[in-house]
């Protein structure tokens, strides 16, 4: 299946939620196109990694807040 720039536009529609990757149209395309399959897999992998990093960052910020004395709050804000 030849798509040229169509792959990127299609993957973008999935990424922004315009197209459900589990829809009949998407499932058909993923069955027929290994390049699209790989693209969706890469997107989901990146989403998972970003979610993990964001969660860890929230935990780090929460810990920093708990460990910071009130008089050090301004110093911490400046360093962030």
């Amino acid at each position: 299946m030849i798509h040229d720039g169509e792959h990127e536009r299609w993957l973008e529609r999935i990424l922004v939620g315009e197209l459900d990757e589990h829809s009949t149209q998407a499932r058909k395309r993923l069955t027929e196109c290994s390049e699209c399959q790989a693209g969706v897999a890469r997107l989901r992998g990146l989403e998972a990694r970003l979610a993990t990093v964001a969660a860890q960052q929230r935990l780090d910020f929460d810990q920093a807040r708990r460990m910071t004395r009130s008089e050090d709050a301004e110093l911490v804000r400046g360093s962030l």
Side-chain angles (χ1 to χ4, degrees):
M1 183 177 260
I2 298 173
H3 295 290
D4 298 323
E6 191 179 333
H7 289 288
E8 289 76 21
R9 288 187 297 278
W10 188 76
L11 292 172
E12 181 181 328
R13 289 179 63 207
I14 288 177
L15 183 63
V16 300
E18 184 181 312
L19 177 64
D20 178 7
E21 72 182 89
H22 302 290
S23 70
T24 303
Q25 175 190 5
R27 284 197 317 261
K28 181 178 185 303
R29 183 168 189 154
L30 290 170
T31 300
E32 296 173 352
C33 180
S34 61
E35 189 173 337
C36 289
Q37 290 173 11
V40 169
R42 276 192 314 275
L43 286 175
R44 294 304 168 224
L46 287 171
E47 280 182 334
R49 287 176 54 199
L50 286 171
T52 299
V53 168
Q56 184 59 54
Q57 190 173 49
R58 282 191 296 276
L59 291 172
D60 291 346
F61 282 139
D62 287 343
Q63 180 180 5
R65 283 186 196 100
R66 284 192 309 275
M67 296 176 68
T68 302
R69 298 175 303 166
S70 58
E71 59 268 17
D72 294 333
E74 202 54 46
L75 178 62
V76 170
R77 280 190 204 94
S79 68
L80 294 176

